[in-house]
Amino acid sequence: MGSSGQVRCRAGGPSSTRRGQRQTATGQDLLGRGPRRTVRRPVFRRDAGDRTESLALFAAAIGAHLDAPSPPRFDNWDEAIRFLFSIDSAGPFVIDEFPYLSQVSPALPSILQREIDQAASAGRRTKLLLCGSAMSVMGGLLGGTAPLRGRATLELVVRPFDYLLAAEYWGVNDPRLAALLHAVVGGTPAYRRFVNDDSPDSLDGFDDWVLRTALSPASPLFREARYLLEEEMNVRDGALYHSVLAAVAAGNSTRGGIANYVGRKATDIGHQLIVLEDSGLLRRRPDVFRSGRSGYEVAEPLIVFYHVVMRPQWGLLESGRAANVWESARPRFSSQVVGPHFEQLCREYAMAAPAERFGELPGEIGAGVVTDHSHRSQIEVDVVVLAPAISGRRRKVLSLGEANWGEVMGQRHVGRLERARHLLSRDYDTSETILACYSGAGFEPGLDPSVLTVGLDDLYRRPS
C-alpha cells in the first residue's frame, strides 16, 4: 500500500513481515530496491495452488538458489522448512504472498515458530522475510496468541504515497490536476505502470486521460477496483462486500445507513465491516466531538471512483461507451468522489502543517459534528485540529475548518465556523481557535484577515 511506511521494530527472532497491497510492492520489489549485492536472495512467491504444487515450486526455488542439479523433494511443509533453516546461509529468505500458503497449510506459522526458536537457541541468524498483500491475514501473524508473536524484529506496513509525493511521482505540477488525479488513483505507485506511464499533461487533458485509462476495458486499471477485494482471504460473498463499499462511497457513513442501503439489518453487516476495515479498504473516522460516534469511509480512492462512476454503468463501459458514461457521471465524480477526497487531503495538510500554522503541534486531526440545539441543527466541521489532551484542563481547539471543493468560500462559511466555535466554548478552550476555509474554487474578497484561507496552491506547497 502506499504512503509513508509504518515500521515497528521489536526484540525477538530473526524474522520480518511486510504487508501492503501488491500494487505497492512485492517482496522481490523491496529486495530489488536495496543496495546492489552479489549474494543471491531466494524469493518464493505463491499466489494460489494446492499443497503439492506449492511444495514443488518451493523446492524449485531452493534448488535454484543452491545451484543444485535437481531440486530437493519435500513430502510436507515440516520437511521443507527444516531444510530451509539448515542451509548454510544467513539469507534473507523471502516467502512472498505468505497468506496463500498459510491458507492451504495452516500449520505453517507454527512450523516457522519452531524453526525460528531453534535457530535462535543455536545462535544461527537465519533471516526470513514474510510478505503478503492480504492485509487482514498479515496483520494477524504477530498479534494475540499467534505462533509468530514476539519472533519478528521488523514489521513493515507499506502504505501509498502521500498526495504531495504522488503528484511528484506522476510528474504533475498543476495543483488542481494533481488533486483530480489523486481522487482517481490515490498514491498507489503501481497504477502508473498499469497505464504505461500515461500521465495527464494538462487540466484540459484530464477527461481524455480518464477515458483512455480508468474507463478503458483495455487498461489493467479498468478492473483493478474489483480485484482489490479479491486479494483478501477472508472475503466470502463478494457481492455483499461490494454493496457495502458502494453504500459508503455513496455517502452512507453510519452502520445503519449502510445497512439500509444494502437492504440488510445493521447486525447482518458487522462481519463485512470488520473484514473491510482489517483489509484497509474501509477506515473508521471518529467524531472528535462526540465520544463513541464514528463513521466509515472508503480508504482506497480507486474503489470510490469505481462505485460512483463505473459500477452503475458497467455494461456500457464494457461495450465501449466510456465517453457517454463519463459525460453523465462527471457531476457525481465532482460531488461524491472529488469533494470528500478534497476534505481528506485538507486533513492531511493540517496534519503536516508546521507548528506555527495553528500555534502549536496538533494532538489530533479529524472531523466532527457540533449540535446546535437552539437552531435544531448540526454543524459539520470538516477539519478539526485539537491540541494534545492535558489532564485537568479543557482541551484546546486549535482550528476549525470547512473544506469545499467546488464552491467559492466567503462570509457565510465563516459564519458557520464562528457559530461552531461559540457552541464548543462550553466544553473546550476556544480562546485561540483559528477559523480556516479550505477551497478548491477560491475565496470571496474581503474575508477577515484572521481567517486562514487554504487554496490548492497552498495545499500542494511543501512545508519548509
Side-chain angles (χ1 to χ4, degrees), residues 10 18 75 91 125 136 149 191 235 283 412:
R10 62 182 82 176
R18 194 283 302 177
D75 292 328
R125 299 299 297 173
S136 57
R149 177 174 172 79
Y191 292 161
V235 169
R283 59 173 165 244
R412 177 169 58 90

Side-chain angles (χ1 to χ4, degrees), residues 166-413:
E168 183 180 335
Y169 177 73
W170 283 84
V172 175
N173 298 317
D174 184 309
R176 188 171 189 83
L177 177 60
L180 290 171
L181 178 65
H182 198 270
V184 178
V185 296
T188 302
Y191 292 161
R192 182 170 178 178
R193 186 175 70 246
F194 281 18
V195 298
N196 293 318
D197 290 328
D198 182 357
S199 180
D201 56 4
S202 68
L203 195 57
D204 290 338
F206 176 72
D207 288 350
D208 288 338
W209 178 85
V210 170
L211 293 177
R212 65 178 181 265
T213 56
L215 299 186
S216 170
S219 169
L221 199 61
F222 182 71
R223 292 179 175 82
E224 177 60 20
R226 305 178 96 174
Y227 295 155
L228 286 174
L229 189 60
E230 295 175 9
E231 290 182 356
E232 289 303 316
M233 314 296 293
N234 295 328
V235 169
R236 302 291 183 271
D237 186 10
L240 179 56
Y241 284 87
H242 275 296
S243 294
V244 170
L245 289 170
V248 180
N252 300 282
S253 60
T254 65
R255 180 176 293 211
I258 297 168
N260 185 61
Y261 184 95
V262 302
R264 302 287 185 100
K265 295 179 180 178
T267 54
D268 294 340
I269 62 170
H271 175 72
Q272 285 73 24
L273 290 173
I274 290 173
V275 170
L276 290 170
E277 190 174 359
D278 287 346
S279 67
L281 299 181
L282 275 187
R283 59 173 165 244
R284 193 192 302 258
R285 191 184 69 199
D287 186 322
V288 297
F289 296 133
R290 299 186 295 179
S291 178
R293 302 283 187 92
S294 62
Y296 291 95
E297 57 189 17
V298 180
E300 172 59 51
L302 187 62
I303 290 180
V304 181
F305 181 84
Y306 165 74
H307 282 289
V308 173
V309 175
M310 301 175 68
R311 192 167 180 245
Q313 300 289 354
W314 186 255
L316 290 179
L317 288 172
E318 288 192 310
S319 67
R321 298 182 60 187
N324 301 101
V325 171
W326 181 236
E327 182 180 4
S328 173
R330 201 58 164 83
R332 296 199 308 276
F333 171 70
S334 181
S335 61
Q336 296 181 40
V337 179
V338 186
H341 189 74
F342 179 67
E343 294 176 9
Q344 178 59 29
L345 294 186
C346 294
R347 287 188 284 270
E348 293 179 19
Y349 166 86
M351 178 64 74
E356 58 269 20
R357 184 65 42 82
F358 301 113
E360 60 181 275
L361 284 176
E364 184 179 358
I365 305 287
V369 174
V370 180
T371 301
D372 189 343
H373 295 288
S374 63
H375 293 168
R376 296 183 180 180
S377 62
Q378 293 182 326
I379 303 172
E380 295 184 11
V381 184
D382 302 317
V383 185
V384 180
V385 184
L386 298 177
I390 300 176
S391 179
R393 297 185 186 179
R394 292 194 304 168
R395 195 168 189 182
K396 184 184 294 186
V397 180
L398 300 180
S399 178
L400 298 173
E402 181 169 341
N404 199 308
W405 168 256
E407 189 174 324
V408 175
M409 301 186 71
Q411 187 55 45
R412 177 169 58 90
H413 304 87

